[in-house]
Amino acid sequence: AVFGFFSMLAPLLKEEKPTHVVAAFDVKAKTFRHDMYAEYKGTRKPSPPELHEQIGYIKEMLSAAGIKTSELAGYEADDILGTLAKQFKTQGEVIIVSGDRDILQLVDDSVTVFHNKQRNDVIRYTPALLAEEGFTPAQIIEYKSLAGDHSDNIPGVKGIGEKGAKDLLEKYGDLDGVYANIEELKGKLKENLVNDKANAYLSKTLATINVNVPLSLSASETAFNGKLNGNLLTKLKELEISALTSRFSFDNNTEVPVSEEVPKIVAKRVNLHEKDIKKTLSANKDAIALKALDEGLEIATSAEEYFVIDYDRSLFGVGLTQETVYEILKPFLANDKIKKYIYDAKSFFKAFGAAVGSIVNYDDLMLSSYLLSGGRNQKEYAESASAIFAASESARKKLKERGLLSLYTDIELPLIEVLLSCENEGINIDREALKEMSANIAAQIKQAEQEIYREAGKEFNISSNKQLADVLFVDLKLPEGKKTKTGYSVAVEVLDNLDAPIVKFIKKYRFLSKLQGTYLTGLQPLIDESGKLHTTFNQALTHTGRLSSERPNLQNIPNRSEEGREIRKMFVPSNGNVFVSADYSQIELRLLAVMSGDAELLNAYKNGIDIHILTASKIHGVPLNAVTKGMRTSAKAVNFGIVYGISAHGLSEQIGVGHYEAQRFIDAYFDAYPGIRTFMQKTVQEAERDGFVKTLFGRIANFSEIKSYDRQTRESAKRAAMNMPVQGTAADICKIAMLKVYNALKSGGYKAKLILQIHDELLVDCPIDEAEKVKALLKTEMEAAVSLIVPLIAETKSGNNWFI
């Protein structure tokens, strides 16, 4: 929103050269129109919080630029614009810029409206242009009096739509003219006009912009000399949208940096013949950029131009096929002296069907931009091969400057080969087990469905939120939950607060239906002819640096519920093999001890004390030997919940205690481990000061939202920033472990293959005769991944399916 607003403002200021500028804003409060008609704008959905929170930034930046803003409780921005237009048009031409057609009623010989429906689609409305559309400015109001306005919930006259309103205005001029000649009309039209006369005149008042708002803005306050205050430049840099700086004119005291925008590229689209490709790549080039297209390939040898090879896909074609192009490129891709710049190298490997390791000395711009941007993907760098070339040239320098080069070269870049190998290997699915479980779950869904019908006393569509809400809150008269504009909410948090037998069955029905759709029915079309699933790992997606996966998402298979665990039984090793898995024991808690330096926690891990029993002792106030199994369970939830910023409400629901008791546990936890409280407070302070936090390996995560004007967004960002250093460091260590295990299996000549990483767990498809050695290898490599002041512990298992 910020970028869009200022990218529209920039050309307006340069082209129109205004002498005065005011930006008008709505106030989040009732207006005089609500006092007249309570349902005014009642059908409008609230603006998304992602948009709303940016309005504050826009106002702040306008102020920094020296541009006046105006808002007034009880009035809308349109009223302010109308009042200003009336005030200033006596002094010269007035331009109003708005995306709202209501504002067209202000058009006259002195007022032009720039209607900007889209950023680059502006219509300049004068009385003449409006007349071409069949309206006078006043008829914009009269039209709404008759047709109403759904977006503002202005009622109008029942049964009169767009065409009816236009016909009446064309014949009778205005609303008064319509009612002065009402006897000329017949049938339903006349009946509706008579019955809704009050609504028609109410609608006219609601639609009329008030041009007499009590504003106190003088000409000197709104004056603009064409030069922006340099403070705007600072704000643009803070929000990392400095590309806009070249579009504004700043005052003489402002030093404007050179824009980092990718240079404009001159494309040469030609179908290169084999000799042309070789000639292009052999001309003493020490670097090339490559971009795979659906129907071809782009090659750039500089930042100024790129060449396009279009594949010939005709049945009897004699041109270059993808396979031919790959064969031509092979020696260049394997040449260690030629640097290859690629965006998303893993996808490039797959597009070409290139073998693992067949491309050497390459940089992945997707990964470098992901690291440089603090966990956000910069797709705009991939617009063309030359854009990739231009951005890649400076990427390594920036990585080094920001302390990210080692993270890039030692972890992220070599991990591409590992992930590609895992994706290519895939994981076997027991089709019979899948069918059997699918049938079993379907039967359980049917049973839950019948229980719901029995409790409701009737059959209905359980998947319909409206029908379900009617059953719960109308038929069964349960305490009403959260109400939305479309009815009562039946979201999970609402159901959690309802105490009725039907709720238990609804939750079960939803859980089983999701299980069936996502992991049973959903998996079947993804299984290849050999019976394997090949997930795709996302390396540049999450804020913390964790891997995610898709099609299918194997990292989200539920492991806590009995049904979820059963799904893992469908995943089986290759013929004659077993699964060997290893996962880190309490890696995030161990890192919390290391990074916080809390003496009590460090001592526990150094001396092998059960951390959950220790925490239970402290929050329940009992000796270690008096801790019960239930106490340990609740303490375990507290230990792991703290890492993820759990609230008292979340903890109370998780362990089944009251809100007060849950808060007491959290307070007791921080009292017992004061180093953790200090560490988390310090982390939030750093995020508020710098806008980012770091892992032990230097990974940056941006949290610009921590300065949001929206309290909920700000608090959410604080919780995320508080826990990111620990979670991000754990993700980095798991990636290092993955690299070490992959390389150890490869260099050791093992037939066993690493096939999955699920957060802090690694899964290996392993011949039976290698199982014990691979177990030992996993434990050794994972525990030696990094050296910390507390031991890292990896626990290994083996079995005939993933439910090990």
Side-chain angles (χ1 to χ4, degrees):
V2 176
F3 182 89
F5 182 93
F6 283 94
S7 62
M8 284 191 282
L9 179 62
L12 282 168
L13 297 180
K14 281 192 174 182
E15 293 167 17
E16 302 305 324
K17 297 180 174 55
T19 58
H20 298 75
V21 183
V22 181
F25 290 87
D26 286 333
V27 176
K28 195 175 183 181
K30 287 185 176 181
T31 68
F32 70 91
R33 292 179 178 87
H34 291 95
D35 294 334
M36 298 169 58
Y37 182 57
E39 289 79 22
Y40 178 65
K41 291 193 175 180
T43 56
R44 183 172 293 189
K45 293 180 180 178
S47 61
E50 298 87 353
L51 172 62
H52 176 71
E53 69 184 55
Q54 295 181 64
I55 301 301
Y57 286 115
I58 291 173
K59 291 178 184 176
E60 192 178 290
M61 291 168 73
L62 284 168
S63 177
I67 292 177
K68 188 68 179 176
T69 62
S70 180
E71 58 187 50
L72 188 62
Y75 299 93
E76 296 180 52
D78 285 358
D79 300 319
I80 294 173
L81 292 174
T83 300
L84 290 170
K86 178 183 176 183
Q87 176 184 330
F88 277 95
K89 69 182 181 180
T90 59
Q91 302 173 38
E93 183 191 2
V94 170
I95 295 172
I96 298 175
V97 184
S98 173
D100 191 343
R101 283 186 63 88
D102 292 353
I103 212 82
L104 296 180
Q105 64 186 267
L106 300 175
V107 170
D108 64 23
D109 291 338
S110 302
V111 179
T112 303
V113 169
F114 286 17
H115 183 248
N116 57 336
K117 189 76 173 176
Q118 296 176 358
R119 193 192 318 174
N120 298 316
D121 182 16
V122 177
I123 301 174
R124 303 187 177 207
Y125 276 99
T126 59
L129 181 59
L130 200 53
E132 289 179 20
E133 295 187 4
F135 288 104
T136 64
Q139 284 179 330
I140 297 292
I141 305 170
E142 310 291 340
Y143 171 80
K144 286 200 172 189
S145 307
L146 294 165
D149 184 343
H150 177 71
S151 67
D152 285 342
N153 201 30
I154 294 176
V157 175
K158 183 181 177 182
I160 296 184
E162 180 180 342
K163 185 177 185 305
K166 281 186 174 180
D167 288 346
L168 287 169
L169 293 177
E170 187 177 339
K171 189 170 184 180
Y172 301 113
D174 57 17
L175 195 60
D176 290 341
V178 170
Y179 281 102
N181 295 281
I182 193 74
E183 296 305 323
E184 291 184 12
L185 304 174
K186 293 182 171 53
K188 198 70 176 172
L189 175 61
K190 179 180 179 181
E191 182 184 333
N192 287 338
L193 282 165
V194 171
N195 291 339
D196 273 353
K197 183 175 182 179
N199 271 344
Y201 279 96
L202 170 66
S203 298
K204 180 173 182 176
T205 305
L206 292 173
T208 302
I209 291 174
N210 185 339
V211 295
N212 297 299
V213 175
L215 295 177
S216 55
L217 282 177
S218 66
S220 60
E221 285 181 279
T222 61
F224 181 73
N225 66 3
K227 300 289 186 181
L228 293 173
N229 190 309
N231 291 333
L232 174 63
L233 183 61
T234 303
K235 294 293 181 184
L236 289 170
K237 288 164 122 181
E238 281 178 10
L239 294 180
E240 298 180 359
I241 48 177
S242 54
L244 287 177
T245 56
S246 62
R247 305 184 195 180
F248 289 105
S249 297
F250 292 91
D251 60 40
N252 296 331
N253 297 320
T254 305
E255 185 178 339
V256 182
V258 177
S259 172
E260 292 187 10
E261 288 183 303
V262 176
K264 297 296 180 185
I265 306 301
V266 178
K268 294 185 177 180
R269 290 193 67 89
V270 291
N271 283 322
L272 297 178
H273 295 294
E274 181 174 342
K275 60 178 177 24
D276 295 322
I277 299 173
K278 289 181 177 178
K279 181 180 178 182
T280 300
L281 297 180
S282 299
N284 299 316
K285 300 297 179 185
D286 54 6
I288 59 173
L290 301 160
K291 181 183 178 183
L293 308 172
D294 290 338
E295 299 295 330
L297 176 76
E298 291 179 1
I299 302 175
T301 55
S302 72
E304 283 72 45
E305 63 181 7
Y306 65 91
F307 305 95
V308 180
I309 303 167
D310 291 321
Y311 299 143
D312 189 334
R313 300 206 181 267
S314 61
L315 187 60
F316 301 104
V318 293
L320 293 170
T321 64
Q322 178 178 313
E323 293 74 18
T324 305
V325 172
Y326 176 50
E327 288 301 317
I328 296 169
L329 287 178
K330 258 186 179 179
F332 298 98
L333 299 177
N335 188 337
D336 192 46
K337 293 180 180 179
I338 301 175
K339 171 70 76 175
K340 273 71 68 176
Y341 296 136
I342 306 170
Y343 185 93
D344 191 359
K346 183 158 65 70
S347 294
F348 186 82
F349 270 93
K350 286 188 169 184
F352 266 112
V356 173
S358 62
I359 304 178
V360 299
N361 190 17
Y362 61 86
D363 269 344
D364 190 327
L365 182 59
M366 180 182 76
L367 294 182
S368 56
S369 65
Y370 168 65
L371 294 177
L372 289 167
S373 64
R376 293 183 171 94
N377 211 329
Q378 306 287 328
K379 285 189 171 65
E380 64 268 24
Y381 288 141
E383 290 180 357
S384 69
S386 279
I388 293 172
F389 197 104
S392 297
E393 288 278 81
S394 61
R396 278 209 177 222
K397 182 181 177 183
K398 291 179 182 177
L399 288 167
K400 188 174 182 180
E401 289 171 353
R402 300 181 194 180
L404 294 165
L405 188 58
S406 177
L407 181 64
Y408 173 71
T409 58
D410 299 342
I411 300 177
E412 296 292 359
L413 201 59
L415 195 66
I416 293 171
E417 180 180 325
V418 183
L419 298 178
L420 188 60
S421 174
C422 290
E423 291 177 12
N424 290 341
E425 286 294 329
I427 185 170
N428 279 300
I429 287 285
D430 184 334
R431 291 179 187 267
E432 290 306 312
L434 176 62
K435 288 179 184 176
E436 185 180 327
M437 186 173 183
S438 184
N440 180 268
I441 294 294
Q444 290 184 55
I445 291 172
K446 190 70 177 174
Q447 184 181 357
E449 193 177 70
Q450 294 306 312
E451 294 286 0
I452 293 169
Y453 294 156
R454 181 174 60 79
E455 292 292 336
K458 67 177 184 181
E459 292 190 6
F460 64 99
N461 182 0
I462 303 168
S463 298
S464 165
N465 288 345
K466 185 178 185 309
Q467 291 185 39
L468 180 59
D470 287 343
V471 167
L472 295 177
F473 304 120
V474 179
D475 299 346
L476 298 180
K477 295 182 169 48
L478 296 181
E480 295 172 354
K482 181 179 173 185
K483 193 168 185 180
T484 68
K485 286 178 180 173
T486 56
Y488 289 103
S489 169
V490 287
V492 63
E493 63 269 18
V494 174
L495 297 185
D496 285 342
N497 291 319
L498 296 177
D499 184 19
I502 193 173
V503 173
K504 177 180 71 173
F505 298 119
I506 292 169
K507 288 182 177 179
K508 186 173 184 180
Y509 174 86
R510 285 180 169 181
F511 172 75
L512 294 171
S513 297
K514 183 177 180 181
L515 213 60
Q516 180 78 290
T518 305
Y519 296 112
L520 299 172
T521 308
L523 288 180
Q524 292 181 32
L526 301 177
I527 303 172
D528 70 10
E529 293 179 358
S530 66
K532 285 189 173 187
L533 282 172
H534 300 270
T535 190
T536 297
F537 287 100
N538 298 311
Q539 196 178 349
L541 187 65
T542 67
H543 214 45
T544 60
R546 265 189 168 184
L547 295 175
S548 66
S549 70
E550 60 184 356
R551 292 190 53 81
N553 182 353
L554 297 181
Q555 304 210 344
N556 265 11
I557 291 181
N559 197 27
R560 292 182 179 177
S561 66
E562 181 182 344
E563 294 87 355
R565 289 193 292 270
E566 286 294 308
I567 289 179
R568 290 195 169 206
K569 290 183 179 178
M570 302 182 313
F571 293 84
V572 294
S574 304
N575 289 335
N577 284 11
V578 292
F579 278 151
V580 175
S581 77
D583 66 295
Y584 281 117
S585 171
Q586 301 174 3
I587 185 172
E588 288 173 337
L589 293 179
R590 293 172 190 272
L591 287 171
L592 186 58
V594 172
M595 298 174 78
S596 69
D598 184 86
E600 191 81 40
L601 209 55
L602 285 171
N603 180 66
Y605 277 119
K606 286 177 180 177
N607 293 290
I609 298 172
D610 186 315
I611 191 65
H612 301 318
I613 290 179
L614 177 65
T615 298
S617 168
K618 292 183 178 296
I619 67 174
H620 288 283
V622 300
L624 290 173
N625 58 10
V627 172
T628 64
K629 186 178 180 182
M631 289 177 181
R632 185 183 185 276
T633 299
S634 62
K636 184 177 181 179
V638 175
N639 276 330
F640 285 115
I642 292 296
V643 178
Y644 286 89
I646 199 166
S647 64
H649 174 73
L651 182 62
S652 69
E653 291 195 337
Q654 192 170 324
I655 63 177
V657 299
H659 185 277
Y660 174 81
E661 184 74 349
Q663 187 60 57
R664 190 182 69 78
F665 283 166
I666 293 173
D667 292 341
Y669 179 93
F670 285 120
D671 289 340
Y673 307 118
I676 295 175
R677 175 188 276 125
T678 302
F679 166 69
M680 290 185 166
Q681 288 173 344
K682 184 182 175 185
T683 302
V684 170
Q685 289 167 2
E686 288 174 355
E688 290 175 330
R689 183 192 69 215
D690 304 327
F692 63 86
V693 293
K694 289 185 176 183
T695 70
L696 283 180
F697 296 88
R699 182 185 301 277
I700 294 170
N702 280 333
F703 288 98
S704 56
E705 301 89 350
I706 208 163
K707 299 177 183 178
S708 170
Y709 286 83
D710 181 77
R711 182 180 176 278
Q712 189 173 352
T713 302
R714 194 169 60 247
E715 291 303 314
S716 176
K718 283 183 182 179
R719 288 193 298 273
M722 186 188 302
N723 304 295
M724 185 275 166
V726 170
Q727 295 174 32
T729 300
D732 291 338
I733 291 174
C734 290
K735 287 179 176 179
I736 293 169
M738 201 176 185
L739 281 166
K740 289 177 73 68
V741 168
Y742 175 82
N743 289 327
L745 290 173
K746 190 176 176 182
S747 62
Y750 289 91
K751 294 179 181 176
K753 300 289 185 184
L754 179 64
I755 58 171
L756 276 184
Q757 187 238 62
I758 311 90
H759 304 316
D760 55 2
E761 175 189 0
L762 299 184
L763 187 66
V764 176
D765 193 349
C766 178
I768 294 174
D769 59 356
E770 292 182 356
E772 292 307 313
K773 287 184 178 179
V774 169
K775 269 189 187 179
L777 180 150
L778 279 168
K779 187 171 181 65
T780 299
E781 298 297 339
M782 289 178 71
E783 291 182 351
V786 293
S787 177
L788 301 172
I789 57 175
V790 301
L792 278 178
I793 304 297
E795 298 172 343
T796 61
K797 295 176 286 187
S798 62
N800 293 320
N801 58 54
W802 193 9
F803 183 46
I804 302 172

